[in-house]
Amino acid sequence: MSSYLETTHDVYKEAALTPDIGLCCTTNPIWELPGLKIPKIMQEMNYGCGSTVHARDLTNNPKMLYVGVGGGMELLQFAYFNRQKNGVIGVDVVDEMLEASRKNFIEAEAQNPWFKSEFVDLKKGDAMHLPVEDNSIDVAAQNCLFNIFKADDLKKAIAEMYRVLKPHGRLVMSDPTCEQPMNDELRNDERLRALCLSGSLPIAEYVKALTNAGFGTIEIRARKPYRILDPKNYPTDELIYIESIEVAAIKDPIPEDGPCVFTGKAAIYYGDEDYFDDGLGHILLKNQPLAICDKTAGALQALNRDDIYFSESTFHYDGGGCC
């Protein structure tokens, strides 16, 4: 195991034995769903930067995988939508975190009459070598884990997620990102990397790692403020702003003209006709915004029409659109 991964292991072993509310807390509100109660200990051990639980991903009792179990909160939320024995698989390399989750599930059973611990199958394993069969998972997820990995390990972890997903399955992620350069001292600080700070990538690099693995469709669903690295508390001469993004990568074939990456752009046709058809499968109804991937946006803009408006990337894509 690389030294930085050993440091990460030790950080989360300590966090499992002694819950640390401020370790990697998310500002996302806790899900409020009928009959779902999140035990306080799970909330205290919510070591993530966003949420990977989206109802639209979780229809028809999907088989789910969650890597890096934390205190079990998102596993419980996933189980809410499945409620079958071993319907959710949780994988973690830290024995103490697995044991903490098992204990937390007992508390969850006491507070949620519908929940049984057997709904979640906890397994020892790491993200680069998942103990899961090929093409067996509908929805895979990780929260604030992949940003810790250095380039070669990140490539392996994404490839493993791609391997276990069924065709058209989706990988749902939440990770810190950073558009500013970081100095080598920050990048090489193993504890800061373990704390989901100094491993943050620019969004374009993050997306490229996913498309390089073969994912044909990428949805950027949210982009939010996360952390500040300031010169008073960190080895940096400038203020560094870190955001968190929520992303879904879908195991669709990559089209011949490249992957479809949705960053929240839209096109609005306002010409004289009832609609505009580009002849390539994209029909824009008059005065009706159409969500478009960045590739389609570029192709439509290249037509140089004066009756189509293009919005900038909002980095919030909510389904539908050109693909």
Side-chain angles (χ1 to χ4, degrees):
M1 183 184 293
S2 301
S3 64
Y4 85 93
L5 292 177
E6 291 179 357
T7 299
T8 301
H9 181 281
D10 292 343
V11 166
Y12 289 95
K13 174 182 177 180
E14 180 181 342
L17 296 173
T18 306
D20 184 351
I21 297 175
L23 178 67
C24 186
C25 62
T26 173
T27 57
N28 279 33
I30 302 299
W31 273 80
E32 297 286 347
L33 293 169
L36 174 62
K37 296 185 182 299
I38 309 294
K40 182 179 179 182
I41 184 63
M42 284 186 172
Q43 297 181 40
E44 292 175 348
M45 296 179 69
N46 181 22
Y47 304 137
C49 64
S51 178
T52 62
V53 184
H54 299 275
R56 77 169 187 248
D57 299 327
L58 304 174
T59 58
N60 301 316
N61 296 321
K63 182 75 171 182
M64 290 173 274
L65 167 68
Y66 190 78
V67 182
V69 301
M73 188 180 83
E74 288 192 283
L75 289 165
L76 174 63
Q77 292 172 334
F78 281 128
Y80 179 90
F81 292 91
N82 187 288
R83 306 192 186 193
Q84 297 183 32
K85 183 177 181 180
N86 298 332
V88 183
I89 299 172
V91 175
D92 206 299
V93 72
V94 181
D95 290 320
E96 291 80 5
M97 198 64 80
L98 291 167
E99 183 58 29
S101 289
R102 289 188 181 95
K103 292 179 180 178
N104 293 347
F105 287 145
I106 295 174
E107 179 65 25
E109 283 187 342
Q111 296 187 29
N112 295 275
W114 59 267
F115 177 69
K116 298 179 181 179
S117 293
E118 66 179 23
F119 292 168
V120 182
D121 182 13
L122 292 174
K123 295 186 176 185
K124 174 74 174 288
D126 69 77
M128 278 78 80
H129 307 89
L130 293 173
V132 181
E133 295 179 358
D134 295 358
N135 305 308
S136 62
I137 299 296
D138 295 294
V139 178
Q142 65 83 21
N143 192 336
C144 213
L145 172 64
F146 280 12
N147 74 100
I148 293 172
F149 295 139
K150 294 184 177 179
D152 288 345
D153 290 335
L154 177 61
K155 183 178 180 180
K156 293 175 184 175
I158 294 174
E160 274 292 89
M161 289 292 212
Y162 188 89
R163 174 184 67 81
V164 303
L165 281 170
K166 297 176 183 178
H168 310 295
R170 57 191 58 201
L171 169 58
V172 186
M173 298 167 291
S174 179
D175 270 312
T177 61
C178 182
E179 301 301 320
Q180 295 169 258
M182 291 192 193
N183 61 49
D184 289 342
E185 187 173 358
L186 281 172
R187 289 293 189 195
N188 295 326
D189 188 310
E190 295 182 352
R191 183 168 178 81
L192 289 181
R193 182 173 284 272
L195 293 175
C196 306
L197 295 173
S198 64
S200 305
L201 295 174
I203 292 175
E205 289 185 30
Y206 190 94
V207 169
K208 192 172 189 303
L210 294 168
T211 57
N212 284 348
F215 289 99
T217 303
I218 309 296
E219 303 174 354
I220 297 182
R221 295 175 168 179
R223 180 178 180 179
K224 305 174 183 179
Y226 180 60
R227 292 287 191 277
I228 290 292
L229 302 183
D230 66 277
K232 292 182 179 180
N233 296 289
Y234 299 92
T236 175
D237 294 329
E238 63 175 342
L239 203 69
I240 296 178
Y241 172 56
I242 299 175
E243 298 173 297
S244 67
I245 59 169
E246 295 176 10
V247 176
I250 301 173
K251 191 177 177 177
D252 291 334
I254 296 180
E256 291 184 5
D257 58 350
C260 298
V261 180
F262 287 89
T263 61
K265 291 182 178 180
I268 303 176
Y269 169 66
Y270 56 94
D272 296 329
E273 306 297 329
D274 291 336
Y275 64 90
F276 169 73
D277 185 347
D278 70 350
L280 298 173
H282 308 121
I283 297 177
L284 282 68
L285 300 178
K286 188 173 181 177
N287 292 323
Q288 297 294 317
L290 178 72
I292 52 175
C293 70
D294 291 4
K295 179 180 61 178
T296 298
L300 291 174
Q301 286 173 320
L303 299 176
N304 293 317
R305 296 184 63 96
D306 62 1
D307 54 5
I308 302 178
Y309 174 82
F310 299 94
S311 72
E312 298 295 327
S313 296
T314 63
F315 295 97
H316 180 83
Y317 172 72
D318 198 32
C322 68
C323 299

